[in-house]
Amino acid sequence: MKASTKAYGDIRVFAGSGSRSLAEGVCQYLHIPLSPVEIIRFPNENIFIRLQTSVRGQDVFVIQTTSTPVSDNILELLILLDTVKRANAGRITAVIPYFAYGRSDKKDQPRVPITARLLADMITTAGTDRYLVLDLHAGQIQGFFSIPGDELTTFHLLSDYLLTKNLGNAVVVTADLGFAKKGRNFAQKLNLPMAFIEKRRSGNDARAQALSVIGEVRGKDVIIVDDEVDTAGSVSDAVRIVKESGARDVYLSFVHPVLSEAAADRLRALPLKEIITTNTIPIPDAKYLPNMKILSVAPLLGEVIRRVHEAVSVGQMFNE
């Protein structure tokens, strides 16, 4: 599949240091080389970036996740976008597989920021013409951008893989009620019943406490679905509750492997048949587990980039 030339010239893909492997997969799908860029961190922690190829008039896609180290990756993304803008690119699209500060999307208490809006503003100010993101924690974050863009979903990628498991006597369980709507989509596609984990959270620092399972899991395989796993505290509680309620094998499926603090150790200790996630965030070797299945989002991003470049509908990919 060779990228064609349209109004903005050829496709140029640049990678920040947080997403180089993913960007290489995207370029492999598009049958184009990853554009070279020099990224230097000086002893004073300042970041220097220099493009090593011309982008004048070209259709440029900058791929950079904003996972740990969050502040470094965000600043690197902003500097890279500014560099491309000052090199006179024809159009600039920020491709952000994981959008940080997704939980800071509203003022839910006095005297707090809406950091997700601030991050969207900074990305726009840096020179971005379009954005692409994957599975935002809160859909309303799309409204924080004043530029056009697309929120893509990994739902089909994850659910298609789960279909290959042929889990007929199973139930889909959401780790909390906030993911219920998306969890219902999994249950519908897999033709399975659904259950929910009820939990409560009090205060900023207190971890949510899982209380009970709403629905029948006894004697069934369980597929726990969520958008991300951060500390794995909620997942640990969910697994404990469904096992105490008589569940058989437990599968865990989620999009973003944040895996902060001791999350990998918590997951390692759980009786999980399989952990299914994606490469929106690179997983270091120390956090990779033998029962992990990592699905690549590179073909999804590559196809969307091709469609954006050729001005073809992205929604048609998902029958929308």
Side-chain angles (χ1 to χ4, degrees), residues 56 175 186 227 248 310:
R56 186 178 296 274
F186 277 93
D227 62 335
R248 297 191 309 186
E310 297 179 354

Side-chain angles (χ1 to χ4, degrees), residues 54-125:
S54 174
V55 297
R56 186 178 296 274
Q58 305 304 302
D59 200 4
V60 176
F61 295 81
V62 175
I63 303 178
Q64 171 75 324
T65 195
T66 53
S67 57
T68 186
V70 175
S71 297
D72 284 354
N73 280 338
I74 289 174
L75 189 56
E76 187 180 293
L77 170 63
L78 298 175
I79 295 173
L80 186 49
L81 291 168
D82 183 73
T83 305
V84 171
K85 178 184 69 173
R86 295 178 188 279
N88 292 304
R91 179 174 63 178
I92 305 170
T93 301
V95 182
I96 309 167
Y98 173 72
F99 190 87
Y101 292 101
R103 297 177 188 275
S104 181
D105 62 312
K106 58 187 176 294
K107 288 196 66 170
D108 52 1
Q109 53 187 299
R111 299 176 297 280
V112 298
I114 305 179
T115 316
R117 171 60 190 266
L118 173 63
L119 181 54
D121 286 345
M122 290 192 297
I123 290 169
T124 303
T125 301

Side-chain angles (χ1 to χ4, degrees), residues 27-38:
C27 289
Q28 184 178 2
Y29 179 88
L30 291 169
H31 300 292
I32 61 174
L34 181 62
S35 296
V37 59
E38 182 181 25

Side-chain angles (χ1 to χ4, degrees), residues 249-252 270-275 291:
D249 290 337
V250 181
Y251 297 78
L252 173 62
L270 295 176
L272 289 168
K273 181 76 171 179
E274 191 171 16
I275 300 169
N291 58 341

Side-chain angles (χ1 to χ4, degrees), residues 17-242:
S17 57
S19 293
R20 183 170 180 85
S21 178
L22 175 57
E24 289 172 345
V26 169
C27 289
Q28 184 178 2
Y29 179 88
L30 291 169
H31 300 292
I32 61 174
L34 181 62
S35 296
V37 59
E38 182 181 25
I39 302 176
I40 298 174
R41 280 175 169 76
F42 292 119
N44 64 358
E45 299 184 9
N46 287 189
I47 300 172
F48 172 80
I49 293 178
R50 184 171 69 90
L51 309 183
Q52 296 181 313
T53 185
S54 174
V55 297
R56 186 178 296 274
Q58 305 304 302
D59 200 4
V60 176
F61 295 81
V62 175
I63 303 178
Q64 171 75 324
T65 195
T66 53
S67 57
T68 186
V70 175
S71 297
D72 284 354
N73 280 338
I74 289 174
L75 189 56
E76 187 180 293
L77 170 63
L78 298 175
I79 295 173
L80 186 49
L81 291 168
D82 183 73
T83 305
V84 171
K85 178 184 69 173
R86 295 178 188 279
N88 292 304
R91 179 174 63 178
I92 305 170
T93 301
V95 182
I96 309 167
Y98 173 72
F99 190 87
Y101 292 101
R103 297 177 188 275
S104 181
D105 62 312
K106 58 187 176 294
K107 288 196 66 170
D108 52 1
Q109 53 187 299
R111 299 176 297 280
V112 298
I114 305 179
T115 316
R117 171 60 190 266
L118 173 63
L119 181 54
D121 286 345
M122 290 192 297
I123 290 169
T124 303
T125 301
T128 310
D129 299 303
R130 292 185 57 87
Y131 70 90
L132 293 176
V133 292
L134 280 166
D135 289 293
L136 292 168
H137 180 70
Q140 62 264 28
I141 292 174
Q142 296 176 68
F144 294 167
F145 286 91
S146 58
I147 54 177
D150 295 285
E151 180 193 2
L152 310 177
T153 177
T154 59
F155 165 72
H156 301 284
L157 179 68
L158 293 167
S159 59
D160 286 347
Y161 177 78
L162 287 168
L163 280 172
T164 68
K165 311 305 290 184
N166 296 315
L167 299 173
N169 185 27
V171 58
V172 173
V173 175
T174 60
D176 61 64
L177 294 175
F179 201 70
K181 183 176 180 180
K182 292 183 179 179
R184 191 172 293 112
N185 293 336
F186 277 93
Q188 183 176 2
K189 182 166 180 178
L190 299 176
N191 195 27
L192 295 174
M194 195 174 175
F196 311 89
I197 298 295
E198 179 192 11
K199 67 180 185 180
R200 293 176 186 168
R201 185 188 305 272
S202 59
N204 288 329
D205 300 322
R207 183 170 65 83
Q209 179 184 8
L211 302 175
S212 62
V213 59
I214 304 172
E216 184 57 56
V217 300
R218 182 171 300 277
K220 296 179 180 291
D221 294 326
V222 166
I223 305 170
I224 298 175
V225 294
D226 209 343
D227 62 335
E228 68 179 55
V229 169
D230 186 356
T231 65
S234 295
V235 166
S236 297
D237 286 344
V239 173
R240 173 181 56 80
I241 286 178
V242 298

